[in-house]
Amino acid sequence: MEKILFKYIDVPDQYEIDTYIKNGGYRALPKALKEYSPNDLIEMVKKSGLRGRGGAGFPAGLKWGFVPKDSPNPKFLLCNADEGEPGTFKDRWLIEKDPHQLIEGIIISSYAIGAHRAFIYIRGEFAFGAERLKNAISEAYQKGYLGRNILGSGFDLDLEVYRGGGAYICGEETSLMESIEGNRGNPRLKPPFPASVGLYKNPTVINNVETLSNVPHIVLNGALWYAKIGMPKSTGTKIFSLSGHVNRPGNYELPMGTPLRELIYDHGGGIKDERELKAVIPGGVSTPVLTSQLVNVKMDFESLFEAGSLLGSGAVIVMDETTCMVKVAYRLSRFYEHESCGKCVPCREGTRWIRMIMARIENGKGREEDIDLLLDICTNIAGKTVCPMGDAAVVPIMSTIQKFREEYEYHIKNKKCMVDLGTRFV
Amino acid sequence: MDRADKTDTDEADMVNLSIDGKEVTVEEGTTILKAAQKLGIEIPTFCWHDKLEPVGACRMCLVEVEKMSKLQIACDTVVSEGMVVKTNTPQVIKARKGVLEFLLINHPLDCPTCDKGGECDLQNFVFRYGSDKSRFVEEKRRFIVDPKSKLDDLSISPQIIRNMNRCILCRKCVRFINQIAGENDLGTFRRGAKSEINMLPDIPVDNPYSGNVVEICPVGALTSQSFRYKIRVWQTEKVHTICPNCGDGCNITLWAKDDRVYRITSRRNDRVDEGFLCDKGRFGFEFVGLGGG
Ligand SMILES: Cc1cc2nc3c(=O)[nH]c(=O)nc-3n(C[C@H](O)[C@H](O)[C@H](O)COP(=O)(O)O)c2cc1C
Ligand code: SF4
């Protein structure tokens, strides 16, 4: 099938505005400004079925519709380019290789919600991407796509790049706002939701890079065109960041609902060294691990939910038979301990405790009662924290115990991995 | 903090709800916590403070609300008509026990030498809702201020001493300094389990209301130089009086024994002092009982 977001991803100069325009870019913007009212655009995005690509899959048009129309306050559009979910590296490509596609999406989306200021919040480590974006933004200003009275429409928009300091939690929408405001990156309590009380307490829409990059294509080709791609409730394409024990790791743009098997074997070239597939984390490390039996699952929001996991950010981490699941869980427990912002008690204290127990098990000092203790600590975190990070932190532990409990038991009894790790560092 | 933003002339809309089977009618915009207080039902909290913006950080006030799948924080969940709240179900009790366990695993348990003993929220809530067994077998986290002396204490102002190991990170101190005193003398540094409350690098806390953080601290993380190690609170006598230092006349309590004053705390009177004292009133009592008469 024809690619949408990645259509020109291999064109070397696509990041330059002239190349982007030559390849059909900045054609959706005048169309949006001249032919549609902001409300038409919100309805169009609703009809397209576009859902957020940042992890939660919230319908984009619905979110835009929550912005109060009669509010006298300024409104903001934020593009979430924090891309912190381990395994995810798609936004980086969209930013570095086709920044104008994103910028065009941001301008149209800002017009739709009535924002005159927009920010791209990009993770600190993406220094190159931030440069690319800044250059692209100044090109867009020069051509009159940003600034005052864009293309004679009377619509004004200023767009800025804001570089984060490299904290996972600053990808969470309210921490991201705190961070832009110059505060410590800690989540706020919800409600109120950003659509009414967001950046500087003003109505704010926040969307992921991939979500916003889809918008120009929807405007150009129509909502129905988009809705026909993929699955009925998960429309469009999805960029899957494929990593782990596959022959051809990388970003693959495929229709929603593409079977996992096709992604791994046809696109990813199958498992390395012809080993057996053991497990897959289908949507970034905050989503429950799937066993190899579920390799035929379709990659969309509904199908993965039914299979007991989530589509998340679309980061597919493939693990072969030489992978020790205890080691995987231990590694991820270190990530969550390190990234917990420390605001609320269960996540702050619980992630550290979990990591300590995991370290003991991994190092041959596990006790029989540790497995149930881990599960109980997870229960005391899940659903009891300020932000969803607490729920995410327990996912790798709970799902590996649920599906690979015997490996934990073996580790505790025999003080070593159940699997033969082979010669390779896993 | 009046969520409903009512003016005096507005007639407040009232909301009916039930908490633990008891009916109560409160103004629209009221939180579950306030409604429960009206009924005399205790919902334990660490980070909540009447005069500060809620942060919902301690998770101690989680309660069950019918039709909501997750437990909700009582301190920042606004009531709605017909709401059914339960504060005493097995799920709520487990959540509370969980929070207390998380707070205790790294706590030094040095209550015998802690000035807060006897009036410590952590001590009291563990007594009431906690467990007497520990499941934590790992090494406790320790914030060492000075690697040579291995001391936990850090002077953050001439009067205030910080012991990070006792801190539960409710951030009431930071929020007070910021929201009430209007300064930025205190902040939260680092992240996750390494988070700590501290002054700015080498800039001691210096504002005329700083002493309130000692009183606000729910545990023994912030104590005052003048009261430290002098006496156990329950061995003192409380004398209610008025601060003589200025015409404001803040309501205060003297904590005294044998004609000696050990400390002064606020005796909140919202018409006068909002429950806060200035440092002159709080710490300026050395002259009391010194000869003369
Ligand atoms: C701990 C945490 C980290 C997150 N990190 C990111 C991120 O790096 N990028 C992102 O787009 N969304 C991230 N999110 C989701 C955002 O909060 C938000 O839902 C998203 O940006 C909304 O955009 P969307 O609707 O277009 O997906 C994160 C959420 C949490 C709880
Ligand atoms: S769940 Fe974790 S990351 Fe989220 S607010 Fe609480 S401590 Fe911070």
Side-chain angles (χ1 to χ4, degrees):
Chain A
M1 113 102 263
E2 205 186 338
K3 293 188 176 72
I4 301 171
L5 303 175
F6 275 0
K7 191 164 175 193
Y8 299 104
I9 209 83
D10 294 325
V11 175
D13 296 334
Q14 179 69 9
Y15 66 90
E16 288 176 353
I17 199 161
D18 292 332
T19 318
Y20 179 71
I21 291 172
K22 198 178 80 216
N23 287 330
Y26 286 116
R27 247 187 265 156
L29 178 61
K31 188 172 180 209
L33 294 176
K34 285 183 192 129
E35 293 176 26
Y36 300 105
S37 73
N39 216 33
D40 293 341
L41 289 169
I42 294 177
E43 289 308 313
M44 183 190 291
V45 171
K46 273 187 195 164
K47 228 186 260 166
S48 75
L50 175 65
R51 291 170 66 173
R53 304 295 197 241
F58 196 83
L62 198 59
K63 192 189 275 188
W64 296 5
F66 290 152
V67 174
K69 300 216 165 39
D70 46 3
S71 166
N73 294 350
K75 300 168 186 92
F76 292 104
L77 184 96
L78 302 180
C79 168
N80 192 339
D82 197 56
E83 190 149 69
E85 183 72 6
T88 320
F89 42 87
K90 63 186 177 71
D91 296 342
R92 177 177 177 182
W93 275 31
L94 290 170
I95 288 164
E96 291 179 1
K97 293 168 188 280
D98 207 345
H100 286 287
Q101 174 176 253
L102 172 61
I103 293 169
E104 190 174 6
I106 289 174
I107 306 168
I108 298 170
S109 307
S110 299
Y111 170 67
I113 64 155
H116 300 293
R117 287 203 67 181
F119 293 88
I120 302 174
Y121 186 95
I122 187 165
R123 60 179 292 160
E125 295 89 334
F126 285 178
F128 178 66
E131 271 319 296
R132 273 272 152 99
L133 279 173
K134 281 182 195 163
N135 292 337
I137 288 171
S138 60
E139 285 179 323
Y141 268 105
Q142 276 161 24
K143 296 251 184 209
Y145 297 130
L146 281 169
R148 303 295 124 231
N149 192 17
I150 295 170
L151 303 177
S153 65
F155 174 66
D156 306 335
L157 180 70
D158 282 312
L159 173 61
E160 261 176 71
V161 174
Y162 190 99
R163 284 183 66 188
Y168 177 60
I169 194 59
C170 287
E172 189 280 331
E173 53 194 28
T174 58
S175 310
L176 188 153
M177 290 169 203
E178 289 289 321
S179 177
I180 294 183
E181 290 179 23
N183 301 326
R184 191 179 155 82
N186 280 169
R188 299 174 182 167
L189 294 175
K190 287 192 262 187
F193 291 94
S196 45
V197 184
L199 188 66
Y200 297 107
K201 295 202 165 62
N202 292 307
T204 303
V205 163
I206 177 162
N207 277 127
N208 172 260
V209 170
E210 186 184 349
T211 315
L212 293 167
S213 296
N214 271 296
V215 171
H217 303 283
I218 294 173
V219 171
L220 266 186
N221 303 302
L224 291 178
W225 162 82
Y226 193 84
K228 278 197 201 119
I229 305 166
M231 304 290 281
K233 286 187 179 161
S234 298
T235 59
T237 61
K238 176 80 195 83
I239 302 172
F240 298 104
S241 303
L242 184 66
S243 69
H245 300 143
V246 285
N247 283 314
R248 285 195 303 272
N251 282 314
Y252 295 94
E253 184 187 11
L254 299 166
M256 283 274 193
T258 300
L260 178 59
R261 173 186 293 282
E262 187 186 320
L263 174 64
I264 295 175
Y265 292 93
D266 299 353
H267 302 281
I271 310 296
K272 263 188 176 169
D273 302 332
E274 296 187 8
R275 290 203 174 92
E276 287 290 315
L277 174 67
K278 177 174 184 175
V280 179
I281 295 177
V285 299
S286 304
T287 62
V289 62
L290 298 173
T291 57
S292 59
Q293 281 107 337
L294 287 165
V295 70
N296 289 319
V297 69
K298 288 187 174 147
M299 297 294 286
D300 61 78
F301 291 110
E302 281 70 36
S303 307
L304 276 165
F305 184 74
E306 274 161 37
S309 190
L310 296 162
L311 182 64
S313 63
V316 180
I317 303 171
V318 177
M319 292 168 275
D320 73 18
E321 55 189 323
T322 65
T323 313
C324 168
M325 297 315 286
V326 175
K327 192 170 193 142
V328 169
Y330 168 51
R331 179 64 192 89
L332 295 179
S333 73
R334 281 165 53 201
F335 171 78
Y336 285 108
E337 180 200 13
H338 185 66
E339 297 298 341
S340 166
C341 84
K343 178 170 179 170
C344 67
V345 173
C347 171
R348 178 180 76 230
E349 303 296 333
T351 51
R352 180 175 184 273
W353 191 4
I354 287 175
R355 187 268 301 159
M356 294 178 106
I357 298 171
M358 287 307 305
R360 266 199 297 104
I361 298 176
E362 172 67 13
N363 295 324
K365 298 208 175 89
R367 307 166 307 158
E368 234 181 273
E369 60 266 40
D370 283 337
I371 302 178
D372 287 333
L373 178 57
L374 279 171
L375 288 174
D376 195 58
I377 297 170
C378 290
T379 328
N380 284 344
I381 300 174
K384 302 184 174 70
T385 54
V386 170
C387 86
M389 160 108 178
D391 303 324
V394 306
V395 159
I397 309 296
M398 291 186 99
S399 77
T400 51
I401 293 181
Q402 196 189 1
K403 288 171 191 141
F404 300 95
R405 192 177 175 118
E406 67 286 356
E407 288 193 33
Y408 280 80
E409 287 162 353
Y410 187 95
H411 238 285
I412 288 169
K413 209 181 261 161
N414 301 290
K415 308 187 189 316
K416 59 176 188 188
C417 303
M418 193 165 131
V419 294
D420 179 5
L421 295 181
T423 51
R424 189 155 32 95
F425 178 71
V426 188
Chain B
M1 300 271 275
D2 187 359
R3 286 157 179 283
D5 273 339
K6 299 270 179 224
T7 61
D8 287 345
T9 50
D10 271 338
E11 203 170 305
D13 286 323
M14 304 306 279
V15 175
N16 304 296
L17 70 153
S18 93
I19 306 180
D20 295 342
K22 291 186 198 140
E23 303 291 326
V24 62
T25 306
V26 292
E27 262 181 51
E28 198 182 347
T30 306
T31 60
I32 294 177
L33 184 68
K34 285 271 184 181
Q37 283 171 349
K38 195 171 168 192
L39 281 172
I41 294 172
E42 183 193 74
I43 298 176
T45 64
F46 286 111
C47 66
W48 178 81
H49 187 286
D50 204 14
K51 307 272 176 189
L52 302 174
E53 300 270 342
V55 282
C58 73
R59 317 310 282 176
M60 192 61 191
C61 68
L62 287 168
V63 294
E64 225 173 280
V65 178
E66 220 168 68
K67 297 202 193 94
M68 289 180 136
S69 56
K70 283 195 212 171
L71 298 178
Q72 303 291 316
I73 45 171
C75 70
D76 193 51
T77 305
V78 172
V79 299
S80 58
E81 183 61 37
M83 195 182 241
V84 178
V85 179
K86 292 181 185 141
T87 75
N88 227 336
T89 64
Q91 234 198 326
V92 173
I93 292 167
K94 173 152 173 52
R96 274 182 201 161
K97 268 199 176 23
V99 169
L100 290 170
E101 179 178 44
F102 285 137
L103 288 176
L104 280 191
I105 55 177
N106 288 300
H107 190 282
L109 303 175
D110 56 348
C111 309
T113 57
C114 177
D115 288 299
K116 202 75 178 188
E119 53 177 20
C120 168
D121 286 348
L122 185 58
Q123 210 175 44
N124 293 342
F125 290 151
V126 171
F127 181 77
R128 217 162 326 161
Y129 307 109
S131 162
D132 55 358
K133 290 185 196 68
S134 175
R135 302 187 291 176
F136 187 74
V137 296
E138 330 298 331
E139 200 178 325
K140 280 185 195 263
R141 170 183 62 224
R142 187 145 175 225
F143 292 84
I144 293 171
V145 171
D146 170 14
K148 265 181 275 157
S149 64
K150 298 241 165 69
L151 273 183
D152 302 335
D153 294 341
L154 175 74
S155 272
I156 57 170
S157 91
Q159 260 298 348
I160 306 168
I161 296 181
R162 184 207 72 168
N163 179 331
M164 201 48 223
N165 294 318
R166 294 177 186 154
C167 178
I168 59 168
L169 287 162
C170 69
R171 302 195 209 169
K172 273 185 194 163
C173 52
V174 178
R175 288 148 63 212
F176 167 79
I177 296 269
N178 194 258
Q179 293 168 26
I180 309 273
E183 297 291 340
N184 288 304
D185 298 25
L186 276 179
T188 315
F189 294 78
R190 308 184 78 186
R191 185 167 80 197
K194 293 188 174 128
S195 303
E196 60 176 303
I197 304 297
N198 211 336
M199 57 188 182
L200 296 168
D202 299 324
I203 307 177
V205 174
D206 179 23
N207 79 66
Y209 299 97
S210 66
N212 289 298
V213 300
V214 174
E215 192 172 331
I216 284 181
C217 180
V219 292
L222 297 175
T223 51
S224 67
Q225 196 66 267
S226 53
F227 186 67
R228 270 163 70 87
Y229 301 141
K230 300 280 187 330
I231 197 164
R232 304 307 283 178
V233 278
W234 57 85
Q235 292 171 331
T236 60
E237 236 177 277
K238 285 198 266 184
V239 183
H240 294 331
T241 180
I242 306 288
C243 177
N245 274 292
C246 82
D248 278 1
C250 293
N251 293 196
I252 60 171
T253 302
L254 300 181
W255 302 68
K257 185 176 197 250
D258 300 336
D259 288 343
R260 182 173 162 196
V261 174
Y262 285 86
R263 69 169 179 184
I264 290 173
T265 57
S266 159
R267 186 164 54 87
R268 178 173 159 184
N269 179 345
D270 275 350
R271 279 165 306 174
V272 181
D273 51 44
E274 302 264 328
F276 301 118
L277 302 177
C278 76
D279 287 0
K280 209 157 100 191
R282 180 182 301 276
F283 297 127
F285 56 83
E286 268 82 10
F287 62 90
V288 181
L290 289 181

